[in-house]
Amino acid sequence: MMKTKLRARKVLLVLDDVDHKDQLDALAGDLNWFKPGSRIIITTRDEQVLIAHKVKCICNVKLLSDEEAIGLFSRHAFGKDIPVQEYKTQSLEVVHYAAGLPLTIKVLGSFLCGKDKLEWIDALARLKTIPLEETIAKLEVSFKGLENDYKEIFLDVACLLKGWEKNKAIRMLESSGFHARNGLRVLEQRSLITFRAKNLDFYLSMHDHIEEMGKNIVRRMHPDEPNQHSRLWIQEEIEDVLGDGLGTEVTRCINLKLTPAIVGEGLRNMKKLIRCLILNYRESGMDSDDLVKIEEFCQHFPNALRYLNWHYYPHSCLPKTFQANNLVALEIYGSEIEQLWVGGKVMRKLKSIDLSFSKMRTLDLGLTPNLERLDLQSCYDLEEVHVPAGCLRTLVYLDLGQCERVKSVG
């Protein structure tokens, strides 16, 4: 009908919230359907829909500036373009919380309209721990349209990987079995994530409310039972779960700050499942008893672990109790490690190792026959890298920069 009825007419056609190419094929299949001079505006959450339809001009909608945000909020909250003076401080708090997102600004403006100042203060305090359901529900439309593996990648980014360098995040996700490059591109096209350039690298980023939405998805089924969450990132909750021995096989990823309050034995109930363990550790301020507790924690690494990230690892080798049969990526930057294991251990699944700025002395690549990436940058004590015949067939990246004591590679 569109093709036959509008061919002789110059039109302005707005197609809002398109989520599938079939919709465009039916409503604007070709430019010759419309008279020259016509304009077609399409809005969508999925950039790939526009790319597949060969749309020539694609523009990303920018977030509101503070000035635009305060005007939009004031129109919904007060019915005019500027806030009432008595509520100016609270209005600016709303704008700061919304971070330029029009949906949040309109929802909060309508919600706070007609309420007194104490109600405003209480509502703003609530937002610090409880997100707006109406905003979350609308943002979640893009998430619900994802395939299951892309949903998992999104939740990893929201809960763990926001702010990570892109390639490092890809290594973590690939160690878990995801097709990370394609998955991150899909999330970017759905406007769920962005990449922020810094120097020559790109870093994962997402709007605060999209991050909030992702974390809410993980927590909402069991808000008061963190041991039932697939991902743990809140320090106090992790300490409680591990300290009380409440770990379960539901948990897939943990990002924690390693302190004396962490009880390593709590990992025992998680030994079948954890695919990602990210540890933040600094030795400064710890006494000898604290360091003993850190040593004990190491003895409980789950053998199902696929990705281990522990910057400043404090020991000379990995624990004997850690079988690492499923380990795919090992990142222990700036560590005290001198050798991976005492006596050696073949790790056939290990594909990526980052030992940069560590105290490695020797490394036998015969123990990692399927290694693809090896970063030994600035290992100043490194003297020898043993390379048995055939073990470099899979290696595509090697950094030996500033390893000035290396006497032999071979």
Side-chain angles (χ1 to χ4, degrees), residues 114 171 205 220 228 254 256 263 272 345:
R171 290 196 295 273
S205 184
R220 66 189 175 194
Q228 297 297 320
I254 298 180
L256 63 89
V263 179
K272 188 178 178 180
K345 180 181 299 186

Side-chain angles (χ1 to χ4, degrees), residues 137-343:
K138 291 181 179 179
L139 290 176
E140 206 171 314
V141 171
S142 293
F143 172 81
K144 289 180 177 178
L146 296 172
E147 295 182 27
N148 288 337
D149 57 335
Y150 297 152
K151 287 180 179 179
E152 293 298 316
I153 292 174
F154 169 76
L155 294 177
D156 277 353
V157 175
C159 299
L160 306 168
L161 304 180
K162 182 180 177 182
W164 280 38
E165 192 272 323
K166 179 180 178 180
N167 289 320
K168 181 179 177 181
I170 287 173
R171 290 196 295 273
M172 178 273 184
L173 292 166
E174 288 183 340
S175 73
S176 299
F178 296 123
H179 298 284
R181 294 184 184 278
N182 190 53
L184 292 177
R185 177 58 176 153
V186 169
L187 298 184
E188 184 183 22
Q189 290 178 327
R190 296 289 182 95
S191 300
L192 290 169
I193 65 170
T194 57
F195 292 105
R196 174 174 50 85
K198 184 178 180 181
N199 298 327
L200 298 177
D201 296 318
F202 290 89
Y203 293 81
L204 281 174
S205 184
M206 63 171 47
H207 193 280
D208 289 347
H209 294 299
I210 294 178
E211 176 187 5
E212 187 178 50
M213 180 260 288
K215 290 179 175 179
N216 182 64
I217 290 171
V218 171
R219 294 174 55 84
R220 66 189 175 194
M221 292 297 292
H222 304 278
D224 300 319
E225 298 177 87
N227 61 320
Q228 297 297 320
H229 299 164
S230 62
R231 297 154 180 86
L232 295 174
W233 65 92
I234 299 174
Q235 184 70 17
E236 183 179 354
E237 292 184 347
I238 296 171
E239 291 179 1
D240 288 344
V241 168
L242 296 182
D244 295 335
L246 297 176
T248 68
E249 296 186 2
V250 174
T251 304
R252 294 290 181 267
C253 305
I254 298 180
N255 184 353
L256 63 89
K257 179 181 179 182
L258 201 54
T259 69
I262 295 293
V263 179
E265 290 186 17
L267 291 172
R268 286 181 176 176
N269 294 334
M270 301 176 176
K271 61 184 178 182
K272 188 178 178 180
L273 53 92
I274 295 183
R275 56 180 173 83
C276 169
L277 184 58
I278 304 166
L279 301 167
N280 300 300
Y281 165 81
R282 284 285 191 172
E283 187 176 327
S284 58
M286 292 191 179
D287 58 27
S288 58
D289 289 339
D290 294 338
L291 294 176
V292 169
K293 292 179 180 177
I294 300 302
E295 171 68 31
E296 291 175 350
F297 179 87
C298 300
Q299 305 305 314
H300 300 286
F301 285 157
N303 290 324
L305 197 60
R306 298 181 185 178
Y307 176 86
L308 175 61
N309 181 309
W310 188 343
H311 288 183
Y312 312 108
Y313 178 74
H315 306 299
S316 61
C317 65
L318 293 171
K320 293 181 179 179
T321 55
F322 181 34
Q323 298 300 312
N325 295 327
N326 293 287
L327 195 65
V328 178
L330 175 67
E331 300 190 350
I332 42 181
Y333 167 103
S335 70
E336 298 292 316
I337 197 163
E338 297 177 8
Q339 57 182 327
L340 291 182
W341 270 277
V342 174

